[in-house]
Amino acid sequence: MSLRRIPFLTIAIATALSVGALPAAGAVTRASVPGQEGEPAKRQAAQQVAPATGTTTVRYGPYTIPAATQNDHGTTHNRIKFNIQKPCDNCFITGFKPNLVYADGSNANVNTGPMLHHVVLGTHRRSDVVCKGPQRIFASGNERVKSVLPSGYGFKVGKERWNMIYDLMNHAHQEKTVYISITFTHEAADGSRLKPVTPIWMDAGGCLGSVYDAPEGTSEKTRRWRSTVSGDLVHMRGHLHHAGRSVRTKNLTTGETLCSIQAEEGGSPEFIDPHGHTEISDMPPCSGEPLGTINRGDVLEITSRYEINGHSHDNVMGIMVGWVAEH
């Protein structure tokens, strides 16, 4: 999820999320409710919202990624999409699974070229509790792990607009056309007894860019944040680049490790490119009721660990996104 020194987590997304009435981007490809099979939806200019309860897969795109050259991967670089399709309105999202796919729905991964370098969904209607800009809701890199909140919790979605920043890469020497595909599980907010959760964005690279340079050998990068919220941390997921080994968040005030994630690299053929290079293939999230309790004023620390052979790596990341049920 390299950002090439672009502070997309605050400045770029703030610009994106401040834009008003623009056409919706994305199309619901499948929505289902208990006892009823959903129908594939055609792309429409107007925003199409799925039933409030069920499972919805939203496709964003198509996006064409330039071919790789002898010296570098092909890349879209960071791009912004305004007023993107949401899975539902007046609902709670209880889980999501990101992916990158071809038009026929098959996985598009580094073994055939494409890489989901990063995707971040956010809204300007709420403030990010860590960095004070627009709230970042969900994010993923090419690890594409599924997140499911513990039973009884959900992220509340109202009438706010969502926007998206993405960066796609291509390891192949032919251009590739792909879609970002995200499957959401959700339920109607009316009558729901779910507890709402607030995202927190722990970032070893900091609020003004996320990326940093990791030296050759073993290194760790840490950053601290004094919490402005009190509540139960119920879920946390992580992101690292190639040669990243682990990322963890600890509550220094209580001495409690809230979540520690070990990265797997090249764990299946899809995550090995045509040249034999591996990418992060799994980063199992932490989930619990709760993982730990955070009080306003507690100091949280994220630590990102890299083990690099051969040469230093520029523009790496160490990110953990958590969801807190505020007291």
Side-chain angles (χ1 to χ4, degrees), residues 2 17 56 62 67 105-106 135 249 267 270 283 307-308:
S2 166
L17 301 183
T56 302
S106 61
Q135 185 181 62
T249 294
E270 282 190 316
M283 295 192 68
E307 297 176 8
I308 299 174

Side-chain angles (χ1 to χ4, degrees), residues 88-321:
C88 52
D89 278 333
N90 193 29
C91 63
F92 283 100
I93 293 176
T94 57
F96 73 102
K97 173 67 169 71
N99 203 4
L100 195 66
V101 301
Y102 292 112
D104 64 359
S106 61
N107 284 351
N109 210 329
V110 297
N111 62 316
T112 58
M115 179 176 174
L116 178 58
H117 212 234
H118 58 258
V119 58
V120 182
L121 308 182
T123 177
H124 71 288
R125 291 292 298 274
R126 290 183 292 269
S127 295
D128 187 283
V129 299
V130 177
C131 291
K132 307 304 181 185
Q135 185 181 62
R136 292 157 292 185
I137 302 171
F138 304 112
S140 181
N142 201 61
E143 64 278 352
R144 313 179 190 199
V145 298
K146 181 180 182 179
S147 274
V148 178
L149 297 176
S151 177
Y153 300 92
F155 177 80
K156 179 70 178 297
V157 179
K159 295 293 185 180
E160 71 276 6
R161 293 187 177 96
W162 285 10
N163 298 282
M164 176 175 73
I165 289 181
Y166 68 92
D167 185 5
L168 307 178
M169 291 182 66
N170 185 7
H171 293 235
H173 293 284
Q174 309 82 31
E175 71 176 24
K176 300 286 183 173
T177 298
V178 297
Y179 297 78
I180 296 170
S181 174
I182 305 179
T183 298
F184 300 89
T185 55
H186 48 88
E187 70 173 61
D190 291 343
S192 175
R193 304 179 73 173
L194 294 182
K195 297 179 181 178
V197 294
T198 300
I200 61 170
W201 186 283
M202 299 298 298
D203 196 327
C207 287
L208 295 180
S210 283
V211 296
Y212 66 94
D213 297 339
E216 181 182 1
T218 299
S219 65
E220 290 189 341
K221 176 81 168 178
T222 64
R223 190 168 294 271
R224 295 175 180 178
W225 169 65
R226 186 175 297 277
S227 179
T228 57
V229 297
S230 295
D232 294 329
L233 178 67
V234 299
H235 190 83
M236 208 163 205
R237 58 186 283 134
H239 170 74
L240 293 165
H241 286 188
H242 168 67
R245 293 295 177 259
S246 66
V247 63
R248 66 183 183 272
T249 294
K250 183 175 182 178
N251 187 332
L252 296 183
T253 303
T254 64
E256 182 180 18
T257 297
L258 299 171
C259 178
S260 181
I261 298 174
Q262 303 296 313
E264 174 190 80
E265 189 162 326
S268 65
E270 282 190 316
F271 293 90
I272 304 173
D273 77 8
H275 307 288
H277 301 136
T278 58
E279 296 291 347
I280 301 293
S281 52
D282 194 17
M283 295 192 68
C286 301
S287 202
E289 301 183 57
L291 296 172
T293 299
I294 301 167
N295 291 307
R296 187 184 299 270
D298 284 359
V299 177
L300 273 59
E301 179 183 75
I302 180 173
T303 302
S304 174
R305 181 182 179 90
Y306 278 79
E307 297 176 8
I308 299 174
N309 294 320
H311 60 85
S312 63
H313 288 191
D314 296 339
N315 298 345
V316 302
M317 286 186 173
I319 294 172
M320 300 189 81
V321 185

